[in-house]
Each structure stands twice: as structure tokens, then as C-alpha cells.
Amino acid sequence: MASAPVAMAPVSDAGRPPFRAADVEALVHDLAGILGEGGVSTAPRALARASKDGSGMSPILTAQQPLGAPDLVCCPKSAHQVPDVVRAAVRRGVPITTRGKGTGNYGQAVPRYGGLVIDMTGLTTISALGDGYVTAEAGARMITLERAAWDAGQQLWMYPSTAQSTLGGFVAGGSAGTGTIVHGRNHMGFVDSLDVVYAHDDAEIVHLAGDDAQPMVHTYGVAGIIVRATVQLEPLQDWRCVYASFASHHDAFAAAVHVRGVSPQPRLCSADTVTMSAHLPTDDAIPRGRASLRTIVDSAVVDEISGIVEACGGRVEAVRSGLQDTLRASMLSYNHPTWWMQKAEPDTWFHMEVQGDALVERLDEVEAVYEDGMLHLEVGYGHMFGMLNGRYRDPQQVYDGVAQLEALGVAVHSPHQSYVDRDADRIRTLAAQTDPRGLLNPGRWLS
Ligand SMILES: Cc1cc2nc3c(=O)[nH]c(=O)nc-3n(C[C@H](O)[C@H](O)[C@H](O)COP(=O)(O)OP(=O)(O)OC[C@H]3O[C@@H](n4cnc5c(N)ncnc54)[C@H](O)[C@@H]3O)c2cc1C
């Protein structure tokens, strides 16, 4: 992760689509014809639900509420309905924001200029599961796919800590999670093929395979709507979840550095400070007053992991196995420790996504950048990754820390923005072809 642009200025309003209330009314009628009366809603509850996502994790985005609200929400029940919906919205000039489970934490699923939200959670069919792949509709949940894979003696290459999130949402809006240590981020070969719908007058489902599918990954739905995806599976390993505790997170992080060198590689390795560990859900394997390390490792290396823990001054609290425990450990990773801490102490904490071995090598300096700084550590793909938490004062304090972190050799990605910030020029060029009228999730460009 190279540092991505971190901007305090709001995104450009230049691309705001000029639709009117009459266009929305006409579209409600069109969509009722396509999806049935129950498939489209303008009810306040449905609109309010589609106006929210995980951006409450950012005090900066929270202060900008409302980030947007749709005029109507529709819920297709099969992939082949989506092109019909898109053609209708394009004909009426109404913007379209695609929504999965709404767990994205940058506000990127919130329709900035209103218009139509397509809720994809009704598209859940798993159409094929073979040796090394699973094909499913975009609304299928990652946890469902992982379960289906285990039943077939396989596992997903990766899934996010929000295991309830959708396949389409993870491909379009997420990036990493359990499995990332081995396979990197989701744009690195995880996606085998995609069926997408572009915002054209004559929209149909387009199949993109191999290299042709990769440019659509992590594009926030601005360049196409994913209706189906085929992603990579691999043979199931015999996993163990090792929970360890340490007197201090310095020791836990030192252990994480050693765990990353173990072969076969772990599927996940997360570690937290004493304070952050105390905010995780109650579990005998996460004793209060101790820093916690949780790692999902092959059964063949459990003894080696125990040796690492002890050599770093810690103790193994539990060794668990099975799908449920693997999922449980996953759901305590990435943003989740921050989320639990924010839940316990609302309006107190913010976080920055940070990367680099300096996180461990210069830990005290890194944590000193922000008041009460506390690092949640993940072993990433060949590097250390984490969430640096601090006590929130104001946006300036948050952004001032970026230069200090970069000076320490830490790359920073801000979770306090909703614009496309990775590969923005390339994605904009792609979207000019696939969405010539700028109707797909508009308002995501920095300038
Ligand atoms: C506590 C917490 C922990 C998290 N942990 C992780 C983590 O471990 N790893 C990670 O990568 N992320 C993580 N996230 C972010 C988020 O959960 C992931 O990005 C998630 O995969 C998004 O899936 P979703 O179904 O909720 O998508 P949504 O939030 O609904 O949408 C995300 C983006 O994708 C677009 N989109 C959704 N579906 C489609 C589609 N079918 N076609 C085109 N565009 C679409 C939306 O318009 C939006 O821009 C976390 C967030 C929170 C709040």
C-alpha cells in the first residue's frame, strides 16, 4: 500500500447528474413493471437504511452526515433483472448506486446525489462450485461461500473480517482479510471472472474473464455493476486458531513478526494492545490486562507457534479448530478491534490504515503520532499492516499525523474519505467507456 492521497477538501461536485423528481416517479413505475410492486420502494425506512453504511467508524465522515440518501431503492431477485433495471434508470437519467451488505466503511455505498440504490442482497445463488473455484451471484455472503467451500473440502482464498458482507461488495469495495497473508489483496488474482452490467442504454450482462475482469476490482461500482463472480478456492487446510496473551503488545507484535515466517504460512495473524484487547468480546482466551494475539495456522505448525509465543514471553491461552472458530477469529481482525473500541466508547476514537515494517520496528514513535495512540496489527502480504487508533480531536489533527507517519516509513490510507483514491485515473478512464453519462455511484472523484 503506497500512501494514497489524503485530502481534507470535499470531492468535486462537477459530475452531479441533473435528474428531476418526475424522472424518479417515472422510474418507480418502470421498476414496478420489471420487479413487481414489492421490488421497488420509496418508503422512508427503506431510504434511511440505504443511506447508511459502516462510515460511522470515521468521526470525520460522521460529521459530514448525511452523506447522501436515495430517492428509491430496488431489490432485484435474479441477475437477469439487473440489466432491465439499469436500462430503465439510464433512460431516465437517474444515478445508480449499487449496495451489498452496506458494511463498507468509507461511505462509498451511500448515494451521494440520491437517485436509485440497487440492493443486491437478494441475488444469492451459488451456481457452480468446482475444483478451485466458486461462482455465485453478487449478493451471496462471503460467510456462505466459505461454508460451501468447506463442505466441498475447499476454502476461499480470502474473505474480509466482515464475513457477512457480499461477494460483490467485497470485490467492488473491499480489499483484504483472512487469507491475505498468502494471497495478497483481492485485485491480485482472487477474481477469476465477473458478469457485469454497464450503464448503457442497451445494457446487458457482459462476461469478463481473467485479465479482463481485474480492472473492475475495487472500483466502488463506478465502472459497472457486478451481478455474478467466480473467485478462487483452494484445498482446505486443517486449521487451528491459536490464542495467545502477553504482558505487553510489544511482545505480542514481536511474536507476530516470527509467526509471519512460519511455513506453511498462517491464514491470519492479528495482535492488539492491552487496552484494545480488553474491548474485544469476552473470551477466556483473551484475558483482560493482557495483550492478545490470534492466529489461524496449519495444524502442522501449532507446536512451532507455541514455541514462538513462549520465546516472546507469552502464553498460549487456547487452540481451537473448526469452521465456527476460524470465522470467530476472523471477525476479530482488521477493523473489528477498532469497531469494538468505538462501540464501547462512542465519539472518542478514530483510526488510520497504516502499513510497513516500521509499524513494529518504530512502534513507540508510530503510536506517539496520535494522542493515546494504539496500534492494531495484522500480518499482511509480505509486510505489516494495521489500524492506528487515536483519541479524536478534529480533522486537522488526523491529517497532520499523516506526514509524521510517512516520515517514519509508514504508508497511510485514510478511511475518512469516500472518493476513488486507488488507481483513480485508470478507473475514471474505464468508467468513461462503461458509464458515459456518469450515472454509476457519482461523486467519487477528487477533482
Ligand atoms: C468493522 C469493519 C471491519 C471491516 N473489515 C474489513 C476487512 O477485513 N477487509 C476488507 O476488505 N474490508 C473490511 N471492511 C470494509 C467492508 O466491510 C468491506 O469492504 C466489505 O467487503 C464490503 O461489502 P458489502 O457487501 O458490505 O458492500 P457495500 O458496503 O454495500 O459496498 C461497498 C462498495 O462496493 C460497491 N458495490 C457493492 N456491491 C456491488 C456490486 N454488486 N457491483 C458493483 N459495486 C458494488 C458499493 O457501491 C460500494 O461502493 C470492514 C468494515 C467494517 C465496518
Side-chain angles (χ1 to χ4, degrees):
M1 176 180 82
S3 281
V6 178
M8 283 188 71
V11 291
S12 165
D13 253 341
R16 188 183 195 112
F19 67 105
R20 300 158 305 155
D23 300 317
V24 171
E25 267 174 49
L27 185 57
V28 171
H29 179 77
D30 297 343
L31 296 186
I34 296 167
L35 303 171
E37 294 290 338
V40 55
S41 179
T42 55
R45 236 173 68 169
L47 303 185
R49 203 185 144 269
S51 310
K52 294 200 182 72
D53 66 357
S55 53
M57 287 193 70
S58 161
I60 296 176
L61 290 175
T62 299
Q64 292 166 21
Q65 300 279 0
L67 296 174
D71 296 286
L72 72 166
V73 179
C74 78
C75 305
K77 290 281 180 259
S78 75
H80 75 263
Q81 290 176 327
V82 176
D84 297 343
V85 168
V86 170
R87 282 197 300 273
V90 170
R91 202 175 326 121
R92 302 291 179 190
V94 174
I96 307 163
T97 301
T98 315
R99 182 180 177 90
K101 190 77 177 142
T103 63
N105 57 323
Y106 311 126
Q108 74 270 41
V110 177
R112 180 143 185 252
Y113 301 132
L116 171 67
V117 162
I118 306 183
D119 179 334
M120 301 294 277
T121 53
L123 274 65
T124 57
T125 304
I126 300 178
S127 49
L129 193 156
D131 203 8
Y133 69 93
V134 59
T135 304
E137 287 184 328
R141 293 179 307 160
M142 299 303 289
I143 194 170
T144 309
L145 300 181
E146 177 72 353
R147 281 197 183 112
W150 275 57
D151 286 346
Q154 300 187 71
Q155 62 195 27
L156 285 167
W157 266 24
M158 69 186 73
Y159 62 86
S161 71
T162 43
Q164 305 285 351
S165 63
T166 65
L167 174 60
F170 179 57
V171 170
S175 56
T178 298
T180 280
I181 296 176
V182 179
H183 295 294
R185 293 180 169 250
N186 62 1
H187 67 275
M188 296 167 66
F190 173 57
V191 174
D192 195 46
S193 67
L194 295 174
D195 287 343
V196 297
V197 177
Y198 300 142
H200 292 159
D201 295 332
D202 57 353
E204 289 296 347
I205 295 176
V206 177
H207 184 70
L208 302 172
D211 288 348
D212 291 339
Q214 307 312 315
M216 295 297 297
V217 178
H218 205 79
T219 53
Y220 288 1
V222 301
I225 297 171
I226 299 164
V227 295
R228 200 178 291 110
T230 299
V231 294
Q232 304 277 358
L233 304 181
E234 61 191 347
L236 181 61
Q237 282 171 260
D238 185 21
W239 294 115
R240 294 290 180 274
C241 305
V242 179
Y243 286 68
S245 77
F246 299 81
S248 112
H249 65 299
H250 285 259
D251 298 336
F253 290 5
V257 171
H258 291 292
V259 169
R260 115 172 135 170
V262 164
S263 177
Q265 286 180 292
R267 208 174 179 204
L268 182 79
C269 181
S270 320
D272 288 291
T273 67
V274 171
T275 303
M276 291 192 76
S277 302
H279 285 94
L280 295 175
T282 308
D283 186 327
D284 289 346
I286 308 176
R288 299 304 188 235
R290 306 267 295 171
S292 161
L293 177 142
R294 304 162 301 281
T295 182
I296 303 175
V297 297
D298 195 285
S299 60
V301 300
V302 169
D303 288 347
E304 189 179 349
I305 297 292
S306 302
I308 289 171
V309 168
E310 280 159 27
C312 291
R315 63 175 189 246
V316 172
E317 301 287 349
V319 180
R320 297 171 177 165
S321 59
L323 176 61
Q324 273 315 110
D325 275 302
T326 306
L327 290 166
R328 188 202 298 260
S330 297
M331 290 182 190
L332 297 177
S333 67
Y334 283 76
N335 281 331
H336 270 89
T338 297
W339 187 84
W340 283 106
M341 197 165 66
Q342 291 186 339
K343 198 169 143 73
E345 296 173 86
D347 306 323
T348 308
W349 302 100
F350 74 97
H351 72 293
M352 280 300 219
E353 296 168 8
V354 287
Q355 181 178 305
D357 288 349
L359 295 179
V360 178
E361 289 158 10
R362 304 183 73 169
L363 176 58
D364 286 335
E365 293 165 278
V366 168
E367 291 190 320
V369 167
Y370 293 123
E371 183 182 344
D372 292 333
M374 278 179 279
L375 183 67
H376 160 77
L377 189 75
E378 292 288 337
V379 175
Y381 181 68
H383 53 66
M384 291 300 186
F385 176 80
M387 312 296 159
L388 178 58
N389 302 272
R391 195 169 287 278
Y392 184 65
R393 300 286 173 213
D394 55 54
Q396 192 62 53
Q397 154 235 14
V398 174
Y399 294 123
D400 282 351
V402 174
Q404 293 176 54
L405 288 165
E406 288 174 343
L408 292 170
V410 173
V412 183
H413 179 259
S414 168
H416 308 290
Q417 45 75 18
S418 306
Y419 50 85
V420 174
D421 64 348
R422 290 195 174 111
D423 273 351
D425 291 341
R426 176 186 65 73
I427 296 171
R428 208 166 182 174
T429 304
L430 175 67
Q433 302 297 316
T434 59
D435 175 30
R437 295 175 66 181
L439 293 175
L440 291 180
N441 202 3
R444 303 291 163 204
W445 307 117
L446 197 48
S447 58

